[in-house]
Amino acid sequence: MTESWLLICAFMVFIMQAGFLCLETGKIRSKNSINVAAKNISDFILSTIVFWLFGFALMFGNSYNGWFGTSQFFFGENNTPYQISFFVFQLMFCGTAATLVSGAVAERMTFVGYLWITIVLAACIYPIAGHWAWASFFNPTNLGWLQKLGFVDFAGSTVVHSVGGSVALAAVIIIGPRIGRFDNQHNLPAGSNLPLTVLGTLLIWLGWFGFNGGSTLTFNDNVPIIILNTFIAAVWGGLISASLHYYFHRFFEVTYVLNGVLGGLVAVTASCFAISPADAAIIGSIAGVILYTGTLLLEKYKLDDALGVVPVHLFAGIWGTLAVALFADLSILSTGLSRSEQFLSQLTGVAAINIYSFVASFVLIKLISKFIQLRVTPEQEMLGMNISEHRASTELIDLLGTMKKQQHDGEFSSPVPVEPFTEVGQIAQQYNQVINRVNNEISQRDEAIGNFKASEERKSAILNSSMDSIISIDFDGKIIEFNPAAEKTFGYLKNYVLNKSFIELFIDPSEQQKVTNNLKHKFSESRGLLYNRRNTIFLHRSSGEKFPAEITITGASLGSELKNEFTLHIRDTTRQTKLRDKLKHLAYSDPLTGLYNRTYLIENIQNSINEKQANGLAVLFMDLDHFKNINDTLGHAAGDKLLREVAERLTQVTNSDDVIARWGGDEFVVLLNNMHQTEIIHKKAIQVLQQMREPITLEGREINIPTSIGISLCDDDQHDASKLIHQADIAMYHAKQAGRDNYQLYNQEMMTKSVRKFNFEQEMKKALQVEDQIYMTYQCKVDNDKVVTGLEALIRWKHPKEGLISPGEFIPLAEESNLIINIDRKVIQVVFQQLNQWQQEGLSLVPVSINLSGKHLVSDDLISFVEQQLKFYKIDGSLIEFEITEGVLLTDIERSIEAMTALKRLHIKLSVDDFGTGYSSLNYLKRLPIDVLKIDRSFVDECANTVEDGQICATIINLAQNLGLEAVAEGVETEAQWQFLAAKGCEVFQGFYFYRPMSADDTRLKILPKLNQTQ
């Protein structure tokens, strides 16, 4: 019973070979059908021979440490009937794996290439991988190394199908795609005979029942559930795959139905003996999804798998093998592993077998390609492999060849040969009838034209009054008529041109042969000058000048075919062409600089991308630093002159094939071509910067043009001009952040920072509207006795997802986006409210300093807002101190003094923060109504150790004393710093050495009570 069952199942698996033959023959073009048929049977013959000689021995022979077999060569002479039945069954599996590979590279691989890949797979890929996982199937004590780990692949989702798929993937990568496969303008046909493809799929489906059912190696109670699970997975795979295609494309594609069925069969093969039908449905459904997405993945990377072997057999096979650990009944597996351990075992097996299969086959196929031509030539591929590989033609090919010759010669008088009693013969017969009808129609038309005679007087009147040139020529191209407008247009008198060749006189030499052929075929060819159509062409005047013209060709008959003539209605379109070019120039140019505008630039970049010529493009986005100051100071006329000078300089440092455009305002974009090396781009950017740094004289002043440049490069995956320019813009922004007058090359981190900045801006707006994200901490200021004399309010932002964000990160973003004023308002409100609360609790208070932005300082509503808040919270101004960064005061000194004076009237103290890091002159410092100088922590850090920093601190303290100001040292973290500063006369200190920033509650509990006790 066991031997009979194995032989029956082997026969069913053998039917799969017929199924693969039908499937492949129907899916490929008919010009390759004979090649596919020959390949299929040759694959099976070779795989059988190799597997019999030594493949079976390597797979099932006595194991060498679980890696390969060493016995059972030349199988069959001394083996039992069961062993021979087992061999025949396994032989079918090897043939299946071999057939998969050749199907993937169909229609472009040489026949000898097919055979060599079959030998590679059957000799050293499939047997070795099979030994690792299945060695004990023939001898229970013979364990492959994956079996020892508990790896389970019941009927070969990985051992057969993923192995074949991995080798197929290697072959597809090496051989390359079919001609036109990924050409967007031409789509390869879906197949020559889809019904035959469906029949093939059904035969494979039938054979699969033997494939999975026979893997029990005996007919037992497990066979029915295996057959049911196999069937269930197949139908769900086909349903899901087809449904996905319908969802995205709104029609049912037969290929996805068929491949989905096969994907479901492949996936369930590994676990069909140990799962329920419901599990089989899930496995098959997921296989359908994998099949669909895997097919799209191959198309994305332009991997031409003619039959979908890789997604069906490799991807679905991997999934099916891993699904064993997820769905199988572990008690049936009998591996003794937990589900997680089983999954690790499955994953190890999948990785090991597929990596070995792909790498080994890739290396061997590459090696074979050094000695044997694996791919047919483009001419052979276009001709078809039936002829190029087997010298086998068909009636249809002969018919198409004859028809193509008629098309090329333009001669349709002779009928094509008719092959009787065939469908092609019927097509040829019908084609001959059509040709006869066409010839009759042409004859009748010629006869009608021959009976027509134009009135000579009417013709003369029309010729003389027409504003267009009207020239009549005979069948040889000789001029018969030449009206006055033609004399004016071409510069020849009628008597001079009569009986001379129109083509030789007026047609450009490069076009004369083509126009002669058009005339020979009565202007009825599909290319060139056409009868009764408006044709555009360049003609020559008597002076040799070329001009654009529009020609309409009509015909006339004078009663005899030998006297027929053509009339050319010619209109000089020079004026219209110039007007069109001028309009195009206006549409694509910048009126101020004469450079191209952004419309032309974007179209130029996009055209290069669409034409696959974008690799090597570099975009330089340039912004003139502080250009607004020139407009505001010297006027817009000077600014316009500067922009024209920039355009001229850019022209001097670029090549003729580069594109320079004015993007808008003071922004320019340069598109550099043929930038294949990064070093060249760097040199070009430096060259541009050096050119821009040369001074220019405007309104009697020598002005520099510092420039910030951002650079983006177009790679093979770049498909959008706007995105490329946007990346360069982002890089330019980073160049400005890096100090201006430099260039930056775009990288992904810049985009990340840009997105993060944008997100922070939006999230800061939200944070200002809630109560729990923005809060304040307070750091104490102390005197020489370490008594607290004041507090500094420090803002904190607790992001709901990212946690605590440093002010050094979000404050600069707020400054750029103008959110800083809203943040200032929020801080003032929170601090005033906190002071009000402490005041109501009866606590003694000290002044609290608040950092104030420069934008808020010079804003129109600062004073009124502070007055309103002081009044609302009932806070005396003497409890408030505003800290203003030194550099802010230089932007608008007069406005700053005005605002600070108004704050002083509210009894608010004013402090210059980070003193010593800016460029304040002593004159400005003398005029500012300030109370405090805060020594920047950068000088305090090394004041006790470094002579220079110590002298700077001492100078600032001395300066404050001389001006009657209070000096505050911030960032004091060691006793040495404190002692040094105190010795130099500093009286107020702030830093971790004394107190770290504390929450409002900790300040109330730990600091304010001490103030009460002191007082």
Side-chain angles (χ1 to χ4, degrees):
M1 182 63 182
T2 298
E3 293 85 356
S4 300
W5 175 242
L6 280 177
L7 290 176
I8 291 171
C9 290
F11 172 74
M12 294 178 70
V13 177
F14 182 73
I15 293 176
M16 293 174 69
Q17 292 295 325
F20 283 117
L21 173 61
C22 294
L23 174 66
E24 295 179 30
T25 304
K27 279 290 291 179
I28 54 88
R29 291 167 285 187
S30 58
K31 65 181 180 181
N32 300 310
S33 58
I34 295 173
N35 175 260
V36 167
K39 177 267 300 179
N40 270 39
I41 194 167
S42 300
D43 285 345
F44 192 76
I45 290 172
L46 268 182
S47 64
T48 298
I49 293 172
V50 173
F51 194 74
W52 174 70
L53 289 173
F54 51 88
F56 184 86
L58 291 174
M59 189 167 179
F60 294 104
N62 293 334
S63 182
Y64 179 78
N65 294 328
W67 291 99
F68 56 87
T70 59
S71 62
Q72 301 296 335
F73 293 92
F74 302 90
F75 186 89
E77 182 175 357
N78 300 312
N79 295 96
T80 66
Y82 169 78
Q83 292 174 334
I84 295 174
S85 300
F86 179 86
F87 169 83
V88 173
F89 184 67
Q90 291 298 328
L91 178 63
M92 300 301 114
F93 278 36
C94 182
T96 300
T99 301
L100 299 180
V101 178
S102 57
V105 291
E107 298 197 286
R108 74 269 201 196
M109 177 176 275
T110 62
F111 192 78
V112 174
Y114 285 138
L115 302 184
W116 273 104
I117 290 181
T118 299
I119 293 173
V120 166
L121 186 142
C124 56
I125 305 297
Y126 175 74
I128 298 299
H131 185 84
W132 297 351
W134 285 359
S136 69
F137 286 9
F138 185 73
N139 181 357
T141 63
N142 205 32
L143 293 177
W145 71 273
L146 285 178
Q147 283 183 297
K148 295 176 182 179
L149 296 178
F151 177 74
V152 175
D153 186 7
F154 175 70
S157 289
T158 289
V159 173
V160 178
H161 297 282
S162 289
V163 167
S166 294
V167 179
L169 179 60
V172 165
I173 293 173
I174 294 173
I175 300 301
R178 291 168 287 178
I179 296 175
R181 171 63 180 87
F182 297 106
D183 185 350
N184 294 331
Q185 298 178 352
H186 304 90
N187 292 323
L188 294 182
S192 60
N193 193 335
L194 283 180
L196 185 62
T197 302
V198 176
L199 174 61
T201 303
L202 292 174
L203 289 174
I204 294 172
W205 198 343
L206 173 62
W208 219 291
F209 295 135
F211 201 100
N212 288 355
S215 294
T216 59
L217 304 181
T218 183
F219 188 87
N220 56 31
D221 293 339
N222 288 334
V223 172
I225 190 64
I226 290 173
I227 300 301
L228 176 59
N229 288 338
T230 302
F231 199 88
I232 292 297
V235 297
W236 277 98
L239 173 64
I240 296 302
S241 176
S243 299
L244 283 172
H245 187 275
Y246 180 82
Y247 178 81
F248 289 106
H249 301 282
R250 311 314 298 173
F251 74 94
F252 284 104
E253 169 62 54
V254 178
T255 299
Y256 282 92
V257 178
L258 305 182
N259 282 351
V261 168
L262 296 179
L265 291 170
V266 170
V268 81
T269 293
S271 59
C272 58
F273 73 109
I275 59 174
S276 67
D279 295 333
I282 297 173
I283 293 172
S285 299
I286 296 176
V289 175
I290 292 173
L291 177 278
Y292 181 83
T293 55
T295 303
L296 298 182
L297 184 66
L298 292 186
E299 292 178 355
K300 176 182 178 181
Y301 289 101
K302 295 186 174 10
L303 296 177
D304 183 13
D305 182 352
L307 299 180
V309 170
V310 174
V312 170
H313 297 275
L314 175 57
F315 297 164
I318 291 173
W319 155 241
T321 307
L322 296 177
V324 171
L326 302 177
F327 295 93
D329 187 339
L330 297 181
S331 63
I332 297 177
L333 296 185
S334 299
T335 60
L337 302 178
S338 66
R339 196 165 294 277
S340 60
E341 291 171 338
Q342 187 67 50
F343 184 83
L344 181 59
S345 175
Q346 299 299 107
L347 185 61
T348 302
V350 166
I353 291 175
N354 283 292
I355 291 173
Y356 166 74
S357 301
F358 177 83
V359 173
S361 60
F362 190 93
V363 172
L364 290 173
I365 294 172
K366 270 289 188 182
L367 181 62
I368 291 171
S369 68
K370 302 294 184 182
F371 305 96
I372 295 174
Q373 180 183 348
L374 293 183
R375 178 163 182 156
V376 297
T377 65
E379 294 76 16
Q380 292 172 330
E381 184 175 342
M382 297 300 292
L383 179 63
M385 298 175 69
N386 292 347
I387 297 176
S388 65
E389 288 291 285
H390 307 288
R391 305 295 186 267
S393 184
T394 63
E395 299 94 343
L396 180 60
I397 293 175
D398 293 337
L399 173 61
L400 292 175
T402 304
M403 294 169 67
K404 186 174 183 180
K405 186 175 186 303
Q406 286 187 337
Q407 176 190 4
H408 181 268
D409 297 340
E411 174 58 55
F412 300 97
S413 59
S414 301
V416 299
V418 176
E419 186 72 27
F421 311 114
T422 65
E423 292 182 352
V424 175
Q426 294 177 3
I427 295 173
Q429 187 175 18
Q430 185 64 37
Y431 175 78
N432 287 334
Q433 294 176 4
V434 172
I435 291 298
N436 290 335
R437 178 64 184 271
V438 170
N439 288 331
N440 290 335
E441 292 292 335
I442 292 175
S443 299
Q444 292 176 12
R445 186 189 66 178
D446 291 341
E447 183 178 355
I449 293 175
N451 294 329
F452 175 78
K453 289 185 178 181
S455 170
E456 193 65 31
E457 292 182 0
R458 197 181 334 164
K459 173 183 174 182
S460 177
I462 294 173
L463 288 175
N464 293 334
S465 62
S466 175
M467 299 297 292
D468 292 337
S469 300
I470 299 179
I471 303 174
S472 296
I473 61 174
D474 62 17
F475 276 4
D476 294 324
K478 293 181 179 179
I479 298 174
I480 303 172
E481 189 59 67
F482 201 75
N483 75 336
E487 291 180 331
K488 182 178 179 181
T489 298
F490 290 97
Y492 287 111
L493 294 176
K494 177 178 178 180
N495 291 336
Y496 177 81
V497 300
L498 288 179
N499 294 319
K500 292 186 178 180
S501 172
F502 172 84
I503 296 174
E504 293 178 359
L505 280 177
F506 305 127
I507 301 297
D508 189 80
S510 63
E511 298 285 331
Q512 288 182 3
Q513 183 59 49
K514 184 169 71 173
V515 175
T516 300
N517 291 334
N518 295 153
L519 176 61
K520 178 182 177 181
H521 292 93
K522 303 178 183 180
F523 301 106
S524 61
E525 280 192 320
S526 60
R527 293 173 293 180
L529 298 178
L530 294 176
Y531 191 82
N532 276 337
R533 295 287 188 275
R534 290 185 178 183
N535 305 276
T536 57
I537 193 172
F538 278 92
L539 301 176
H540 283 271
R541 307 188 201 274
S542 61
S543 62
E545 176 194 355
K546 287 176 64 174
F547 68 95
E550 182 180 276
I551 300 180
T552 303
I553 305 171
T554 58
S557 173
L558 301 178
S560 169
E561 198 172 286
L562 298 177
K563 295 183 180 180
N564 283 357
E565 63 185 46
F566 293 100
T567 300
L568 312 179
H569 300 257
I570 302 175
R571 177 171 296 175
D572 185 348
T573 60
T574 301
R575 184 176 178 183
Q576 294 91 320
T577 302
K578 289 182 178 179
L579 179 60
R580 183 188 65 225
D581 292 342
K582 183 176 181 180
L583 291 174
K584 184 177 181 181
H585 176 74
L586 291 174
Y588 285 135
S589 66
D590 173 53
L592 175 62
T593 62
L595 299 176
Y596 291 113
N597 60 14
R598 67 168 63 189
T599 301
Y600 178 84
L601 176 72
I602 292 175
E603 288 186 9
N604 189 280
I605 297 175
Q606 196 62 52
N607 289 338
S608 297
I609 293 173
N610 295 340
E611 294 169 7
K612 309 300 181 184
Q613 299 175 352
N615 193 13
L617 293 185
V619 173
L620 274 64
F621 197 105
M622 306 170 50
D623 182 88
L624 307 184
D625 296 329
H626 307 305
F627 176 77
K628 184 177 182 300
N629 293 341
I630 295 176
N631 269 343
D632 293 344
T633 306
L634 303 180
H636 288 279
D640 291 345
K641 181 180 178 181
L642 175 59
L643 294 176
R644 287 191 291 269
E645 175 66 19
V646 170
E648 178 62 28
R649 293 187 181 188
L650 290 176
T651 304
Q652 294 174 6
V653 295
T654 53
N655 300 324
S656 58
D657 60 342
D658 297 329
V659 177
I660 311 172
R662 183 184 176 202
W663 189 252
D666 62 332
E667 295 175 333
F668 294 82
V669 178
V670 179
L671 174 63
L672 301 177
N673 292 286
N674 301 317
M675 295 288 115
H676 295 284
Q677 295 181 355
T678 307
E679 295 79 6
I680 299 177
I681 297 172
H682 286 293
K683 290 181 180 178
K684 180 62 70 173
I686 293 171
Q687 187 180 3
V688 172
L689 285 174
Q690 291 173 342
Q691 186 77 354
M692 291 297 105
R693 288 166 183 158
E694 291 295 324
I696 176 178
T697 302
L698 294 176
E699 302 296 327
R701 301 186 185 183
E702 194 174 76
I703 303 296
N704 291 321
I705 320 174
T707 307
S708 298
I709 302 176
I711 305 173
S712 64
L713 306 179
C714 187
D715 55 34
D716 293 332
D717 296 327
Q718 178 64 262
H719 300 292
D720 184 73
S722 297
K723 182 178 179 181
L724 194 64
I725 294 172
H726 178 57
Q727 290 174 346
D729 190 11
I730 291 173
M732 184 273 292
Y733 172 80
H734 281 77
K736 285 186 175 294
Q737 284 190 322
R740 304 177 185 269
D741 194 27
N742 69 93
Y743 71 91
Q744 296 291 324
L745 197 64
Y746 172 82
N747 57 56
Q748 187 59 41
E749 184 180 355
M750 292 181 179
M751 177 63 78
T752 303
K753 289 181 178 178
S754 179
V755 172
R756 181 175 177 85
K757 172 190 171 185
F758 176 79
N759 291 339
F760 269 11
E761 289 178 6
Q762 307 309 310
E763 291 166 356
M764 273 192 286
K765 291 179 182 178
K766 296 179 181 177
L768 292 171
Q769 306 301 320
V770 298
E771 297 296 331
D772 58 343
Q773 290 193 34
I774 301 295
Y775 66 93
M776 307 304 298
T777 61
Y778 299 87
Q779 188 174 29
C780 297
K781 300 177 185 178
V782 301
D783 59 16
N784 279 315
D785 297 324
K786 298 186 180 180
V787 176
V788 176
T789 62
L791 301 173
E792 180 178 1
L794 302 174
I795 188 171
R796 296 292 183 263
W797 178 15
K798 187 176 182 181
H799 192 278
K801 294 182 179 179
E802 299 193 23
L804 197 62
I805 299 176
S806 168
E809 185 172 4
F810 69 84
I811 291 297
L813 296 181
E815 290 276 6
E816 294 175 12
S817 63
N818 289 323
L819 278 174
I820 191 65
I821 293 178
N822 292 336
I823 290 178
D824 278 359
R825 286 169 166 263
K826 178 78 171 181
V827 171
I828 291 171
Q829 287 177 328
V830 172
V831 172
F832 282 20
Q833 184 181 18
Q834 187 63 63
L835 284 171
N836 176 266
Q837 179 180 337
W838 287 341
Q839 196 168 253
Q840 291 180 4
E841 293 175 1
L843 298 173
S844 295
L845 303 180
V846 292
V848 179
S849 59
I850 300 172
N851 289 282
L852 191 67
S853 70
K855 289 184 179 180
H856 201 184
L857 177 64
V858 297
S859 64
D860 294 333
D861 63 345
L862 171 65
I863 307 304
S864 60
F865 175 75
V866 173
E867 284 181 326
Q868 187 267 336
Q869 294 298 311
L870 288 171
K871 183 177 180 181
F872 180 80
Y873 288 108
K874 300 177 181 178
I875 302 298
D876 189 274
S878 61
L879 289 175
I880 304 299
E881 176 182 323
F882 281 138
E883 294 188 8
I884 304 164
T885 303
E886 177 186 3
V888 170
L889 303 174
L890 295 180
T891 57
D892 192 340
I893 186 65
E894 299 302 331
R895 287 283 300 277
S896 298
I897 292 175
E898 181 182 341
M900 294 170 72
T901 302
L903 290 172
K904 288 291 291 181
R905 286 196 292 266
L906 299 176
H907 307 295
I908 293 174
K909 293 177 67 176
L910 299 175
S911 170
V912 176
D913 196 10
D914 300 334
F915 187 78
T917 61
Y919 305 94
S920 294
S921 70
L922 294 177
N923 181 51
Y924 286 158
L925 194 60
K926 180 180 66 176
R927 296 175 57 196
L928 294 172
I930 60 177
D931 304 285
V932 180
L933 288 184
K934 290 193 73 174
I935 307 172
D936 186 70
R937 68 177 61 246
S938 62
F939 303 124
V940 173
D941 284 343
E942 297 294 330
C943 67
N945 303 321
T946 305
V947 174
E948 291 82 358
D949 287 351
Q951 290 177 344
I952 291 174
C953 291
T955 300
I956 296 174
I957 295 169
N958 186 50
L959 176 64
Q961 291 173 345
N962 291 335
L963 293 176
L965 305 177
E966 181 182 279
V968 178
E970 64 178 358
V972 179
E973 297 185 357
T974 66
E975 183 173 0
Q977 294 169 350
W978 173 44
Q979 295 292 349
F980 175 85
L981 292 168
K984 296 299 180 180
C986 186
E987 298 178 346
V988 181
F989 310 90
Q990 181 180 356
F992 288 179
Y993 177 69
F994 305 102
Y995 292 97
R996 290 180 175 272
M998 292 180 285
S999 66
D1001 288 341
D1002 285 345
T1003 302
R1004 181 178 63 82
L1005 294 174
K1006 297 178 181 180
I1007 303 302
L1008 298 183
K1010 293 181 180 180
L1011 294 175
N1012 290 331
Q1013 295 170 7
T1014 302
Q1015 296 174 358

